[in-house]
Amino acid sequence: MVSLLGLVGTPPTAVFLGKLQVFTATIDGGYGWLAGLAVVNTVASLFYYLRWLVPAFLQQPRETGAEALEPAGRWAALVAYTAGAASLAMGIAGAAILPLVTGPLIR
């Protein structure tokens, strides 16, 4: 869930900071219309990602005997939790690091 919402750019994920920087640079460069188009695209992408998330939380798994859904396993859970935590940590830590790296790319 955190990774899919991170792709949309919801705070406090790492993607949010990247989108914020790009939108700010676009507006500062005089391309406000392009930033507006990117915001509309972001809202449209939310529709597609919610199509994955809503069924995951609203539908109950069907118990059909031997065909019942089994958990993916410890490694899959560990990877999922680690990826979600890393995305949140980079988003929160990025707010502290971002002022240190602002400025032109070539000096």
Side-chain angles (χ1 to χ4, degrees):
M1 180 179 83
V2 171
S3 296
L4 279 175
L5 289 176
L7 288 173
V8 176
T10 55
T13 59
V15 177
F16 172 72
L17 292 175
K19 282 192 174 188
L20 183 64
Q21 285 292 95
V22 169
F23 291 168
T24 304
T26 305
I27 292 170
D28 289 345
Y31 293 100
W33 64 271
L34 186 59
L37 185 64
V39 169
V40 169
N41 188 31
T42 299
V43 172
S45 69
L46 184 61
F47 168 75
Y48 291 105
Y49 292 126
L50 285 179
R51 290 180 60 190
W52 283 76
L53 289 175
V54 170
F57 290 104
L58 292 183
Q59 293 179 352
Q60 297 295 326
R62 291 179 277 169
E63 295 292 333
T64 58
E67 299 172 0
L69 295 175
E70 294 292 326
R74 289 184 181 163
W75 286 108
L78 178 67
V79 168
Y81 289 133
T82 302
S87 179
L88 290 174
M90 286 189 289
I92 294 169
I97 296 171
L98 204 54
L100 302 174
V101 295
T102 56
L105 294 176
I106 300 173
R107 296 183 186 196

